[in-house]
Amino acid sequence: MLETFRNAWKVEDLRKKIIYTLIMLLIYRVGSVIPTPGVNVDYIAQQVNNISMLGMLDFINGQNFSNFTIFAMGISPYITSSIIMQLLTIAIPSLERLQKEGEEGRKKIAEITRVVTIALGCIMALGIILGLGSGAMAKGANANFFDYALVFVVLAAGTAFTMWIGERITENGIGNGVSLIITIGIVSRLPQSVIELVQMAWNGQTPDGTSFKPVQL
């Protein structure tokens, strides 16, 4: 594998694409540590642990949701909109014709997918804000309309920016941008997951809460 990477690095075009991909992934990871202003992260993390659906969303987005960063919703709306568009191309004749028009048709479908992604992002952001309620806000019950609006805008904008990063990687970098973003999010959790497993084993616990006698060294 290292030899393959060395050979690829020697090719100027591939080297530029690799560097571009790494820069874009770095930008994504930097955004993944910037918190959304005006939220109660501890409360949100507690809800993620209690609600399995939020836990799945957090897993796909590499803990962005439990930490409620500006990329809290990540690439999830884009994945959903892509699935919807694939189903609609079968059900709606006009979209099916677009798909068969070659490159131009695919570009038009991609544009529609972007619009659907933004719409879904806004709907998901609104649903998350209403679902979590005032407990998710730093000001609690004293939060006003502008506090909620700020969180809504940040979540929707974070989704749009994540989609843009994924598309730029696909067009100018190496591999599928969406898949790389999901992968880098999951991989980023590995060190923490390993540490937690070691700590539980040391304390004589399993992930489901069962206790056992730890091995004495």
Side-chain angles (χ1 to χ4, degrees):
M1 182 175 179
L2 289 175
E3 186 63 29
T4 303
F5 182 80
R6 289 195 198 99
N7 294 333
W9 189 260
K10 293 176 183 177
V11 181
E12 184 179 358
D13 185 52
L14 286 177
R15 183 168 63 248
K16 290 180 179 178
K17 288 185 176 183
I18 292 172
I19 294 174
Y20 184 88
T21 301
L22 292 175
I23 291 174
M24 283 298 180
L25 291 177
L26 177 62
I27 292 173
Y28 174 72
R29 289 310 303 165
V30 170
S32 297
V33 297
I34 300 176
T36 300
V39 298
N40 184 345
V41 178
D42 293 334
Y43 175 84
I44 294 171
Q46 182 181 5
Q47 297 306 307
V48 169
N49 292 329
N50 295 333
I51 303 174
S52 58
M53 185 177 295
L54 294 181
M56 179 60 68
L57 180 63
D58 188 49
F59 177 78
I60 294 174
N61 296 325
Q63 288 188 313
N64 278 332
F65 191 85
S66 58
N67 295 327
F68 221 73
T69 68
I70 60 174
F71 293 154
M73 295 192 302
I75 205 69
S76 300
Y78 183 78
I79 296 173
T80 304
S81 65
S82 297
I83 295 172
I84 291 173
M85 290 303 299
Q86 288 178 4
L87 295 175
L88 289 180
T89 52
I90 301 174
I92 301 177
S94 57
L95 290 177
E96 187 176 5
R97 286 195 296 271
L98 274 178
Q99 193 177 36
K100 294 178 180 178
E101 288 181 2
E103 187 64 25
E104 288 300 320
R106 285 192 291 271
K107 285 182 179 180
K108 291 179 181 178
I109 291 178
E111 291 175 1
I112 298 173
T113 303
R114 293 187 194 103
V115 174
V116 175
T117 299
I118 299 301
L120 282 177
C122 291
I123 294 172
M124 285 182 63
L126 184 61
I128 289 170
I129 293 171
L130 295 177
L132 293 176
S134 60
M137 305 301 294
K139 295 181 180 179
N142 295 323
N144 55 39
F145 171 80
F146 295 102
D147 295 321
Y148 287 101
L150 176 61
V151 176
F152 173 82
V153 170
V154 170
L155 291 180
T159 292
F161 191 63
T162 305
M163 175 182 66
W164 180 83
I165 291 175
E167 289 186 341
R168 296 291 74 73
I169 292 175
T170 301
E171 292 179 7
N172 305 316
I174 299 291
N176 183 281
V178 173
S179 299
L180 286 174
I181 287 175
I182 295 174
T183 302
I184 200 70
I186 295 173
V187 169
S188 67
R189 296 188 57 169
L190 286 180
Q192 181 180 349
S193 298
V194 171
I195 292 173
E196 290 176 353
L197 285 174
V198 171
Q199 288 176 341
M200 284 190 292
W202 184 264
N203 295 326
Q205 296 179 333
T206 61
D208 60 0
T210 306
S211 299
F212 65 92
K213 185 177 181 180
V215 177
Q216 299 295 327
L217 298 178

